[in-house]
Amino acid sequence: RRADRVITVSEFSRRELRRYFPKSSARIEVIANGCQAAFRERLDERRLAEVRLRHGVSAPYCLFVGNAKRHKGGAELLEAWRALGSEFGESRPQLVVVGGAFGDRFRAEAVAACGERGVRFLSGVSTADLVALTQGALASLLPSRVEGFGLPALEALAVGTPVVCSPAPALREVCEENAWYA
């Protein structure tokens, strides 16, 4: 109520804030996120292989960066991964999950969907390693139902990795026509 301006990261977030705080509508402005400069660097295959080896990641792989909150779409991700199993069989890429707070239930469901060696959970990944993991992925997957922005999508696009994401408004705003929507 006392702020001169309220800053948010996307037009979608601005619309949501205006919906809940209509009297503040004129003071809500968008300044979109950017990604770190490291995500604009091209790494050589030796560096990508070293990071994969250190983290126990098998190529080829797809990357999910997020957490276990329901709106991030973990259940939808695993449902899609099961469907891929029938399409790809043994040649299905590994699923690499980077983030935190994935409980035993989600981990068990992921192993059931992907197989014991078909999924790798990583937490505490440094920015430098995340850049390498993102750049080396076949695709970055963002099945979120709701996003305020979608930084993993922007980071993937910055390193040239294809993005497959839900058509959530903020993801459409970030990726525009540069993603596959599912």
Side-chain angles (χ1 to χ4, degrees), residues 30 32 80 96 105 123 135 148:
V30 174
V96 177
R105 180 177 176 187
S123 62
Q135 192 175 116

Coordinates of all heavy atoms in Angstrom, one line a residue, residues 30 32 80 96 105 123 135 148:
V30 N 6.7 -4.4 -14.8 CA 7.5 -5.6 -15.2 C 8.9 -5.3 -15.5 O 9.2 -4.4 -16.3 CB 6.8 -6.3 -16.4 CG1 7.7 -7.5 -16.8 CG2 5.4 -6.7 -16.0
A32 N 11.6 -8.0 -16.5 CA 11.9 -9.4 -16.7 C 13.2 -9.9 -16.1 O 14.2 -9.1 -16.1 CB 11.7 -9.8 -18.1
A80 N 4.5 -38.4 -18.8 CA 5.0 -38.3 -20.2 C 6.2 -39.2 -20.4 O 6.4 -39.8 -21.4 CB 5.5 -36.8 -20.4
V96 N 17.3 -36.4 -16.0 CA 18.1 -35.8 -14.9 C 17.2 -34.7 -14.2 O 16.8 -33.8 -14.9 CB 19.4 -35.2 -15.5 CG1 20.2 -34.5 -14.4 CG2 20.2 -36.3 -16.1
R105 N 8.5 -40.6 -2.1 CA 7.4 -41.0 -3.0 C 7.7 -40.6 -4.4 O 7.5 -41.4 -5.3 CB 6.1 -40.4 -2.5 CG 4.9 -40.8 -3.4 CD 3.6 -40.2 -2.8 NE 2.5 -40.6 -3.7 CZ 1.3 -40.1 -3.6 NH1 1.0 -39.3 -2.6 NH2 0.4 -40.5 -4.5
S123 N 21.2 -32.4 -6.4 CA 20.9 -31.2 -5.7 C 22.2 -30.5 -5.4 O 23.3 -31.2 -5.4 CB 20.1 -31.5 -4.4 OG 20.9 -32.3 -3.6
Q135 N 23.4 -27.2 -21.1 CA 23.9 -27.2 -22.5 C 24.0 -28.6 -23.1 O 23.8 -28.8 -24.3 CB 25.3 -26.5 -22.5 CG 25.8 -26.2 -23.9 CD 27.1 -25.4 -23.9 OE1 28.1 -25.9 -24.4 NE2 27.1 -24.3 -23.3
G148 N 5.8 -18.0 -12.5 CA 5.8 -16.6 -12.5 C 6.7 -16.1 -13.6 O 6.5 -15.0 -14.1

